[in-house]
Amino acid sequence: MNNWSVGAEVGTTGYGGSVSYRFHDNMALTAGYSGFTYDDIDYDTDNADYEGDLDMDVYGVTFDYFPFGGRFFLSAGVVKPDVVISVVGGPKGNQSYKINGTTYTPQDLETLQGDVTLDDSVQPYLGVGWRGSHKSGLGMYAKLGAFLTDAKVNIEARGIPEAAANIPQLREDIQQEEDDLQDEADKYGIYPVAVLGIEYTF
């Protein structure tokens, strides 16, 4: 077997495409890219109301094993996710923040700004799928899987009066807010992959 497949896809990692080379009845190599942006994320904590923008790019290479020589395959490989959420936090109900037990008004602290980076390094990927690359022509394909993420959170205070900028309590409270957001982000250490695509096999 010596079949090439080129496809376009949509799924939980965004919009993209893939190229697959099935060099044996039971084996193939696949490379792909997907990504998207989303500008309307709302996330509220007990301390602040956050709005964010998401920018995702995911590159991947996998080895696909077709145990029965047909359409079903098992997949293992690596992905390089580049996922950044830029966030701006405002006071609860536009009234005040309460961070680490301390209350701050908008006059004390204008906004909390920062980003959440889900990953920017190579991570392992495992999955299963279905594609008709053993036959020439137009067809559909689907993939289900997951890859690991390693979130990093960075939060800074903006709009602080000069007299308050170096108050130790304020710095401690902002660090606590960052730590709390880091704990929330750490709960999502696995990113699910669900993809549906259309392809042409040569």
Side-chain angles (χ1 to χ4, degrees), residues 9-16 34 36 56 58 125-129 141-147 190-197:
E9 62 190 44
V10 62
T12 56
T13 55
Y15 305 92
S34 57
F36 71 103
M56 169 179 281
V58 179
Y125 168 85
L126 292 175
V128 298
Y141 67 95
K143 296 184 289 185
L144 292 173
F147 59 83
I190 297 177
Y191 193 94
V193 176
V195 170
L196 182 64

Side-chain angles (χ1 to χ4, degrees), residues 44-92:
D44 300 336
T45 70
D46 292 336
N47 304 323
D49 295 334
Y50 289 92
E51 295 181 353
D53 301 329
L54 170 67
D55 188 6
M56 169 179 281
D57 295 286
V58 179
Y59 305 86
V61 178
T62 61
F63 171 78
D64 304 327
Y65 176 63
F66 297 78
F68 312 114
R71 299 174 182 269
F72 173 76
F73 65 89
L74 306 172
S75 188
V78 294
V79 297
K80 186 181 185 302
D82 186 5
V83 185
V84 178
I85 305 173
S86 301
V87 297
V88 177
K92 298 291 292 183

Side-chain angles (χ1 to χ4, degrees), residues 6-182:
V6 178
E9 62 190 44
V10 62
T12 56
T13 55
Y15 305 92
S18 68
V19 176
S20 185
Y21 175 47
R22 189 157 176 178
F23 56 91
H24 187 278
D25 285 349
N26 304 99
M27 291 175 283
L29 292 173
T30 302
Y33 162 80
S34 57
F36 71 103
T37 59
Y38 185 70
D39 300 331
D40 192 20
I41 297 175
D42 293 319
Y43 181 75
D44 300 336
T45 70
D46 292 336
N47 304 323
D49 295 334
Y50 289 92
E51 295 181 353
D53 301 329
L54 170 67
D55 188 6
M56 169 179 281
D57 295 286
V58 179
Y59 305 86
V61 178
T62 61
F63 171 78
D64 304 327
Y65 176 63
F66 297 78
F68 312 114
R71 299 174 182 269
F72 173 76
F73 65 89
L74 306 172
S75 188
V78 294
V79 297
K80 186 181 185 302
D82 186 5
V83 185
V84 178
I85 305 173
S86 301
V87 297
V88 177
K92 298 291 292 183
N94 294 320
Q95 295 181 5
S96 64
Y97 304 88
K98 190 171 184 179
I99 306 174
N100 198 25
T102 306
T103 299
Y104 296 95
T105 69
Q107 288 72 37
D108 300 323
L109 173 60
E110 189 173 302
T111 61
L112 296 169
Q113 296 185 21
D115 56 70
V116 181
T117 303
L118 291 189
D119 217 309
D120 57 2
S121 60
V122 175
Q123 295 289 347
Y125 168 85
L126 292 175
V128 298
W130 179 94
R131 75 189 321 150
S133 56
H134 61 310
K135 295 182 179 181
S136 299
L138 191 65
M140 304 287 291
Y141 67 95
K143 296 184 289 185
L144 292 173
F147 59 83
L148 300 178
T149 64
D150 183 16
K152 297 178 179 63
V153 178
N154 177 61
I155 294 293
E156 298 179 355
R158 299 295 173 88
I160 307 172
E162 184 176 349
N166 295 316
I167 296 176
Q169 182 64 47
L170 177 58
R171 295 199 303 270
E172 180 181 330
D173 291 342
I174 298 303
Q175 183 61 55
Q176 184 60 54
E177 176 71 358
E178 181 177 294
D179 292 344
D180 291 344
L181 291 173
Q182 182 69 60

